[in-house]
Amino acid sequence: MRMTGAQAIVEALRREGVEVIFGIPGGASIPLYDVLYDSDIRHILTRHEQGAAHAADGYARALGRAGVCSATSGPGATNLTTGIATAYMDSSPVVAFTGQVATPFIGRDAFQETDVIGITMPITKHNFQIRSVAEIPEVIKKAFHIAQTGRPGPVLVDLPKDMQEGEAEVEFPEKVEIVGYKPTYEGHPRQVKAAARAILEASRPVILAGGGVIISGASQELRELAELIMAPVVTTLMGKGSFPESHPLALGVLGMHGRKAANYAVTDADLLIAIGTRFSDRSTGMVSCFAPEARVIHIDIDPAEIGKNVRADIPVVGDARRVLRQLIDVLREMLRRAKTEQWVEKVQRWKKEFNPRMDYDDVPLKPQRIIKEIMDFLGEDDIVTTEVGQCQMWAHHYLGRTKPRTFISSGGLGTMGFGFPAAMGAKVARPEAKVIDIAGDGSFLMNIQELATVVENEINVVVAVFDNRYLGMVRQWQELFYDRRYSAVGLGETPDFVRVAQAFGAFGTAVERPGEIRDALREAFDAGKPAVIDFLIDRECNIFPMVPPGRCLKDIIE
Amino acid sequence: MEKTHYIVALVEDRPGVMQRVSGLLRKRNFNIDSISVGATEIPGISRITMTVRGDRVVLEQVMKQLNKLIEVVKVSELNPKESVVRELALIKVSVKSADARAEVVQYANIFRGRIVDVAKRSMVVEITGDEDKVNAFIELMRSYGIKEIARTGKTIMARGTKTVAVREQ
C-alpha cells in the first residue's frame, strides 16, 4: 500500500487495537494529527503532556494492555518524561509517540528539537526513531510487542516530521521477530521441583506477592497456591489487589508503612515465596535483616531481578501465572502437605492484635475514617488511584482491595501528580467503574490542570483531597527525624479547591465532619460530572506504623 | 572477590547501541576499565568487548542487565586464561638522536612491534599484545619522551573451538 508516514502510523495503531490516545499536538506532530482527525481512534486532549503519559499509564494498568500517549518534539517530549519514568519503574506498558524535527534538521538545534531518544534511553524498555517511512509499520508493531510482553514497560517512538509527511510503499507485518528479545515464560521444571520441595519442608512459609502477579493475571493461581499450602500472603504496594485483603490468609501490605502482622510474618518466616517483585527498599527495609530466617524462592520473569536486591536460594525465571500453575501441579502430585497450622494461628493472632483502628470521629478529620468510608462506598471492581506521599500510604495501609487492577499507584518512582491523570486513564479504560483518586493537596496541584480535560471529555472521576496544607510526608520526616524543622513544606492558604473545581466546571464540595463523608461521596459520584471533595484533615496526622529508614521490618514503630 | 571480568556482547549494529550499553553501565553504577567495538563475521552484528571490575554478584548483574537491552543479542563472559586477549597501541616517541632512534627500533623488534611512521624527530610504533606487554613497552619508551598514545582497548577471543556466536534462529 502506498501511503504517507502519518497514515501508516494511524493504520498501524488501528491494527494494534488502539482505541484511545492521550496527548497534545504541536508543530512537529501536525501531520499525524491531520490523519487522526479522520480516524476512529479517540484522541483525548490533555492540558499537559505529563497528564497524557500518566493517563496512558492509568489506562494500561486498569486494562492490562498498552496505553498510548503522544506529544510534540522538544518541550512536549520532555514533559512526557516523568510519566514515562513512572511507567518504567512500575513495569507498565505505555507506548509514547513524539514528534521530532525533520530529519535534515536533527542535530542542528532546530526550533523545538530535543534528543528525546537520548533522554529516554534509561527510562524506557526500548525506544525507536523512525528513519524511513517504509519501516513505520514494523517499528510500531515491535514497539507494542516489546511494551506488552515479558516484563512490560514503556516504549517510545520518535517521529521526525518528514517521516510523517513522506510517502512510501508500506506493508503491515502480522508478526515481528526480534533477535535479542526472547522472554522466558515457562519456569524450569527442575527449579519448580526445588521450589515445591522447599515448600513442603517449610513450617513457616509466607507468600510475598508483587505487581508481577497482577501483570501476569496470576491472582487465581496465587489464591490456589496459598490455600493449597496454607501460607499467609503479604503484598507489596504494587501487588495490592493481587490477593483479596479480605481473605483469612491475607496479612495485607508489608514494608515501610506496611501492616505489623505482615512485617512480623516476613521476619519470622522460614520460607519466603516471592512472586513478581523486585524487592524495593520500601518493601524490604534494611536488606541484611529482611526475612533473616527464610529460604527465598524468587519467581520473576526478569532474570535481572533475581539476586539484584535480595539473595534468592531458589530462583525461578518465568511468568508468574505459568510458574504458579506448574508449581501447583507439582505440589498436587507430591500429595503431601506442609504443617503450617501453628504458624497460621500465630500470624492470625498478630493480624487480630494489630488490626488498625479506623472509626475515628475526630474533627478535623482523621484520614483513617475517610478511607473507611471510601472503602465502604466502593464496590470491589471499582478503581482507586493514589497520588504520592501520606495520602498514598494511608490508602496503601488502610484501604483493603480484593481484585487486581483496582489499586493504581506510582510505586517505584513515587510521582506526585500521578493519581489524578491516572484516574482519568483508568476511567476511560473502564467507564462502568467508579474511579477515585486518593490525593493530597500538594500532589493534586501538580496536575490540577487536567480538571479541564476530564470536564471537557466528561470523564467523571472523583478526587478525594486529603487536605492538610502540607507536603505531609516530608513534614512527617522532618517532625520525626529533623527536630520538627519544617523546611519548605507549608502550602499556605491557597487554593480553595472547591472553587477551583467549580471554576473548571467540576463539582466541588468541602467536608469537615465525619458524618458528612458518606453524603459527600454520594453527591460526588452522582454529580454527573467530575468532582473534587476537599477533606479537611488533621494537619499533623502522621502515617503510622512506620519502619524508620535504614531499619529492619521488625523495628516498625507506632 | 573483586576482579576484572571480560564481557563480550554481540549487538545489533544500530544507531545509538553503544550509548545504550555505556549508558546502562553508568546508570547501574558499574565500573568499566575498557570498552571497544567492532564488526563481526555476521553483517549487522557488532561485537563489544568490555572489562568490568567487581565481584560475582556485580558480574551477574552486568550480564543480566546487558541481556535486557533489546539490541543486545548475546552476552558472554570469557576467561582470559583460556582466551587470547589483545590490545593495539600506537605510540609516538621522541627520537632526538640517531642512538635513540636505533634503540627504539631495537625495542620495537624485541616486542614484535612495528615502526609505522618515521619523521625527523619522532617515530610511531605500533604494538600489539596483552595489557602487560603494551604497558611494559610504554614504560620503556618513557625515557625517550612519549608525545602521544592511542590504545584501542582490549578485545578477546576464546582459544579452541568455543565461540561467542549468535544462536541459530
Side-chain angles (χ1 to χ4, degrees), chain A residues 459-480:
Chain A
I459 303 166
N460 296 342
V461 300
V462 173
V463 181
V465 184
F466 287 51
D467 187 351
N468 55 13
R469 301 287 155 164
Y470 274 125
L471 297 171
M473 187 61 96
V474 180
R475 188 207 56 74
Q476 175 169 341
W477 281 51
Q478 289 172 342
E479 176 189 334
L480 298 176

Side-chain angles (χ1 to χ4, degrees), chain B residues 32-63:
Chain B
I32 54 167
D33 293 325
S34 156
I35 185 163
S36 67
V37 63
T40 64
E41 72 283 7
I42 307 161
I45 298 286
S46 299
R47 178 169 171 132
I48 298 176
T49 307
M50 60 207 115
T51 56
V52 179
R53 262 178 299 126
D55 56 17
R56 290 305 301 182
V57 179
V58 168
L59 170 72
E60 195 181 310
Q61 265 299 303
V62 173
M63 294 184 60

Side-chain angles (χ1 to χ4, degrees), chain A residues 88 115 117-119 121-128 131 142 146 151 177-182 302-308, chain B residues 12 14-17 19-21 23-24 26-28 45 57 60-61 64-65 67-74 166-167 169:
Chain A
Y88 183 67
D115 174 20
I117 293 294
I119 289 171
M121 255 181 207
I123 54 167
T124 51
K125 188 171 170 185
H126 195 58
N127 59 19
F128 297 92
R131 300 269 166 151
K142 280 182 177 170
I146 291 168
R151 178 182 181 171
E177 264 298 298
I178 304 167
V179 204
Y181 179 68
K182 298 274 181 297
D302 181 355
E305 289 306 336
I306 308 285
K308 187 185 82 180
Chain B
E12 289 188 68
R14 294 257 172 81
V17 66
Q19 190 185 351
R20 288 186 204 280
V21 170
L24 170 77
R26 179 199 52 74
K27 114 171 162 172
R28 299 272 173 194
I45 298 286
V57 179
E60 195 181 310
Q61 265 299 303
K64 284 172 167 180
Q65 295 292 350
N67 255 318
K68 279 174 70 170
L69 294 176
I70 306 290
E71 287 164 352
V72 169
V73 178
K74 180 161 187 171
V166 186
R167 76 195 125 104
Q169 291 304 310

Side-chain angles (χ1 to χ4, degrees), chain A residues 23 120 145 161 201 204 214 221 242 304 309 320 359 363 369 381 387 393 407-408 423 445 477 485 505-506 512 517 558:
Chain A
T120 59
H145 177 66
K161 195 172 182 181
E201 285 161 12
R204 303 189 309 279
I214 294 174
E221 286 75 9
S242 64
N309 292 343
D359 56 352
V363 177
R369 175 64 186 266
D381 289 312
E387 301 292 346
M393 289 299 112
F407 185 83
I408 295 173
L445 272 172
W477 281 51
R485 289 155 54 83
E512 292 179 49
I517 299 172
E558 290 285 353

Side-chain angles (χ1 to χ4, degrees), chain A residues 37-246:
Chain A
Y37 189 72
D38 296 320
S39 157
D40 293 338
I41 298 174
R42 179 179 178 196
H43 183 274
I44 294 174
L45 174 66
T46 60
R47 297 308 191 261
H48 189 289
E49 289 86 352
Q50 187 186 348
H54 291 324
D57 190 352
Y59 178 95
R61 296 191 203 201
L63 221 49
R65 52 173 228 248
V68 179
C69 59
S70 140
T72 189
S73 63
T78 54
N79 278 348
L80 282 182
T81 51
T82 301
I84 293 171
T86 304
Y88 183 67
M89 286 291 268
D90 290 346
S91 309
S92 180
V94 168
V95 179
F97 290 91
T98 48
Q100 181 57 278
V101 300
T103 315
F105 289 96
I106 291 178
R108 292 163 187 265
D109 301 320
F111 177 66
Q112 292 194 329
E113 179 186 355
T114 194
D115 174 20
V116 70
I117 293 294
I119 289 171
T120 59
M121 255 181 207
I123 54 167
T124 51
K125 188 171 170 185
H126 195 58
N127 59 19
F128 297 92
Q129 185 171 63
I130 299 293
R131 300 269 166 151
S132 76
V133 175
E135 72 171 6
I136 287 174
E138 189 187 338
V139 167
I140 291 178
K141 186 98 206 155
K142 280 182 177 170
F144 278 84
H145 177 66
I146 291 168
Q148 299 181 107
T149 54
R151 178 182 181 171
V155 176
L156 182 138
V157 184
D158 197 29
L159 310 163
K161 195 172 182 181
D162 53 331
M163 294 297 126
Q164 301 170 47
E165 287 168 334
E167 265 190 25
E169 199 62 38
V170 291
E171 269 177 65
F172 292 87
E174 291 295 321
K175 274 179 69 182
V176 282
E177 264 298 298
I178 304 167
V179 204
Y181 179 68
K182 298 274 181 297
T184 305
Y185 291 98
E186 214 67 40
H188 194 291
R190 196 183 59 222
Q191 294 302 97
V192 173
K193 277 218 180 70
R197 274 196 299 273
I199 287 170
L200 293 176
E201 285 161 12
S203 56
R204 303 189 309 279
V206 170
I207 296 175
L208 166 58
V213 175
I214 294 174
I215 292 169
S216 78
S219 289
Q220 179 54 40
E221 286 75 9
L222 171 62
R223 188 169 175 162
E224 242 180 280
L225 177 72
E227 288 171 357
L228 178 68
I229 67 175
M230 283 300 281
V233 178
V234 304
T235 73
T236 65
L237 175 79
M238 296 308 299
K240 198 175 175 70
S242 64
F243 190 77
E245 286 180 275
S246 52

Side-chain angles (χ1 to χ4, degrees), chain A residues 381-520:
Chain A
D381 289 312
D382 293 332
I383 295 174
V384 176
T385 70
T386 80
E387 301 292 346
V388 164
Q390 285 184 315
C391 57
Q392 177 188 33
M393 289 299 112
W394 283 319
H396 168 65
H397 189 88
Y398 294 107
L399 206 157
R401 298 272 65 200
T402 55
K403 289 203 169 174
R405 303 197 181 282
T406 63
F407 185 83
I408 295 173
S409 189
S410 169
L413 199 68
T415 308
M416 291 174 70
F418 168 80
F420 176 41
M424 160 166 83
K427 181 74 181 174
V428 170
R430 300 247 337 268
E432 78 293 351
K434 289 191 184 78
V435 179
I436 189 167
D437 171 33
I438 308 277
D441 46 314
S443 286
F444 183 38
L445 272 172
M446 289 199 181
N447 271 318
I448 199 166
Q449 76 286 344
E450 299 307 333
L451 276 171
T453 313
V454 291
V455 168
E456 288 294 334
N457 292 279
E458 296 177 10
I459 303 166
N460 296 342
V461 300
V462 173
V463 181
V465 184
F466 287 51
D467 187 351
N468 55 13
R469 301 287 155 164
Y470 274 125
L471 297 171
M473 187 61 96
V474 180
R475 188 207 56 74
Q476 175 169 341
W477 281 51
Q478 289 172 342
E479 176 189 334
L480 298 176
F481 312 119
Y482 293 87
D483 210 16
R484 289 183 176 266
R485 289 155 54 83
Y486 291 167
S487 179
V489 289
L491 293 173
E493 298 291 311
T494 52
D496 177 335
F497 284 104
V498 173
R499 288 173 62 196
V500 169
Q502 288 165 351
F504 275 101
F507 172 80
T509 186
V511 175
E512 292 179 49
R513 284 162 212 293
E516 303 160 6
I517 299 172
R518 195 172 172 83
D519 285 343

